[in-house]
């Protein structure tokens, strides 16, 4: 997987690959090595005790207890005694989580800063190997060396694009990883390469794919056709998946779930189910109605809390992700025995208008509903959208696959209006959406697709480089929103 000049390190990594691959396959078969997991948990606890992030909050006696606890019992006996790590604490002290010198890492990355300050998330050899195998062993059920993949992830400081490139190398799949400027949004070269190279797999965030399709329509380019879409980095509900499948003719997978800080905690199989990577994480759920409890495969939902087992260079203990998830409690037809997860979005992505809570999939189910032929809202399709809220008016800006008449606009607006019963809703087709709409992977759904002009605090939630984009966008659309 990696060419390393140092032969001793190469042998050590080969041993790591062998051992972790065996652990992954045992977990998939439903026979996890609990003693091995317990030893990994204890090693993580010891490593965390040596980091500046935990030196004042981790009880030394607890670490000593870990050394005297039987490996099979370590997680059950000690997990509940560990302190939680809020996102804010990691955001404020990310570098203090390191247990190794910076030169011992392989690549330096940071999180996108969607929900706080960017967090340092460098990759060390051992955690890169584990994460690559975790993803690759499931993606191998879908991909083959005959595939050709486009990785389109505009996130130079986040590890996702590099990590997925390593996975495709692991699977011996040809990949290309171009860059598209967020402001100009010129996809000409990407579309050309996709056609000329016969690329049949897209890997990246759905908003980036929509932006590319929108560019193709606007510039009379052929819409890219894929066989498989590997989507990640954004909340992608059933309506969004169906929409992208209709546009591209592909089969879409929500391919992976995780973060720069934690690594990839869940990976898709060929049946489009996200399998938790229980060989690399201890996972809990928490919420206001029930206290923290281990994920054991039974049906449940709550905020995901993550303890890493394979990131000894920057371990995380009971890290509060802020993500709402559901454990389905069902078996997967693929035969992989690890629990299945569904993402429910971030808690801060809920739109609350006069007590009415609206989520991303609510909007997209209405906007991208499958309609019978002859319905006034059929024919022209909405490509992408943004909601602008001002006073008691909600304006939906939308790009479309063709010219939209008044009948179509009214029919589409009526489907959305039911979500906002006490607001005036208007739908206005536009040639091009603000660049903000393609930044869901950085900002989350609410900040990229819902611009609430009534709440001045929204400005403070925007990362500095993006704020300028929003200010320009507002100036361009000020006359539209007043109308």
């Amino acid at each position: 997987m990696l060419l390393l000049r140092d032969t001793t390190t190469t042998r050590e990594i080969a041993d790591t690959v062998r051992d972790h691959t065996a652990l992954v396959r045992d977990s998939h078969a439903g026979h996890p090595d609990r003693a091995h997991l317990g030893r990994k948990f204890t090693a993580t606890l010891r490593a965390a005790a040596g980091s500046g992030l935990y030196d004042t909050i981790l009880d030394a006696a607890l670490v000593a207890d870990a050394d005297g606890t039987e490996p099979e019992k370590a997680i059950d006996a000690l997990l509940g005694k560990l302190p939680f790590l809020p996102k804010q604490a990691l955001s404020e002290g990310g570098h203090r989580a390191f247990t190794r010198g910076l030169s011992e890492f392989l690549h330096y990355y940071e999180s996108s800063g969607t929900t706080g300050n960017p967090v340092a998330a460098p990759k060390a050899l051992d955690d890169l190997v584990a994460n690559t195998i975790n993803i690759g062993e499931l993606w191998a059920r879908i991909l083959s060396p005959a595939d050709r993949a486009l990785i389109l992830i505009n996130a130079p400081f986040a590890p996702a694009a590099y990590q997925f490139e390593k996975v495709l190398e692991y699977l011996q799949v040809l990949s290309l990883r171009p860059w598209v400027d967020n402001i100009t949004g010129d996809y000409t070269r990407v579309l050309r390469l996709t056609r000329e190279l016969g690329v049949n797999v897209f890997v990246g965030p759905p908003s980036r794919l929509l932006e590319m399709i929108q560019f193709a329509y606007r510039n009379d380019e052929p819409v890219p056709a894929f066989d498989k879409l590997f989507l990640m980095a954004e909340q992608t509900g059933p309506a969004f998946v169906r929409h992208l499948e209709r546009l591209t003719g592909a089969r879409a997978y929500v391919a992976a779930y995780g973060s720069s800080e934690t690594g990839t905690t869940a990976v898709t199989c060929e049946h489009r189910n996200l399998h938790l990577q229980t060989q690399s994480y201890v996972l809990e759920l928490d919420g206001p109605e029930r206290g923290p409890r281990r994920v054991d495969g039974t049906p449940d939902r709550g905020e995901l809390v993550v303890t890493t087992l394979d990131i000894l260079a920057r371990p995380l203990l009971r890290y509060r992700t802020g993500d709402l998830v559901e454990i389905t409690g069902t078996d997967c037809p693929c035969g992989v025995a690890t629990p299945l997860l569904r993402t429910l979005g971030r808690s801060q992505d809920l739109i609350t208008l006069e007590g009415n809570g609206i989520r991303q999939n609510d909007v997209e189910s209405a906007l991208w509903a499958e309609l019978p032929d002859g319905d006034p809202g059929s024919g022209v399709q909405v490509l992408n959208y943004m909601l602008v809220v001002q006073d008691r008016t909600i304006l939906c800006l939308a790009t479309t696959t063709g010219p939209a008449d008044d009948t179509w606009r009214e029919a589409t607006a009526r489907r959305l209006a039911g979500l906002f019963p006490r607001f005036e809703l208007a739908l206005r087709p536009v040639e091009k959406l603000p660049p903000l709409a393609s930044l869901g992977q950085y900002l989350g759904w609410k900040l990229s697709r819902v611009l609430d002009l009534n709440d001045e605090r929204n400005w403070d939630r925007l990362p500095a480089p993006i704020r300028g984009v929003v200010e320009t966008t507002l100036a361009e659309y000020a006359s539209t929103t007043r109308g």
Side-chain angles (χ1 to χ4, degrees), residues 11 25 39 41 61 94 139 143 163 167 193 246 266 276 314 434:
R11 285 194 296 269
R25 292 176 180 175
R39 285 190 289 272
F41 174 77
W139 283 15
L143 298 174
Q163 175 64 83
V167 172
L193 287 171
R246 287 196 295 267
L276 286 168
R314 48 179 186 85

Side-chain angles (χ1 to χ4, degrees), residues 243-261:
H243 177 58
L244 292 173
E245 288 183 328
R246 287 196 295 267
L247 290 172
T248 64
R251 181 171 174 83
Y253 302 82
V254 178
Y257 162 77
S259 69
S260 300
E261 306 95 296

Side-chain angles (χ1 to χ4, degrees), residues 131 257-259 262-267 275-278 281 283 304 306:
N131 209 46
Y257 162 77
S259 69
T262 64
T264 308
T265 49
V267 182
H275 289 263
L276 286 168
Q277 300 304 288
T278 49
Y281 301 93
L283 302 164
L304 189 66
V306 173

Side-chain angles (χ1 to χ4, degrees), residues 151-158 161 178-183 187 204-205 208 438-439 441-442:
I151 303 173
L152 199 55
I153 301 176
N154 274 22
F157 286 109
W179 173 266
V180 178
D181 183 79
N182 283 327
I183 305 303
Y187 289 84
R208 185 61 57 185
S438 67
L439 300 175
Q441 72 181 106
Y442 307 102

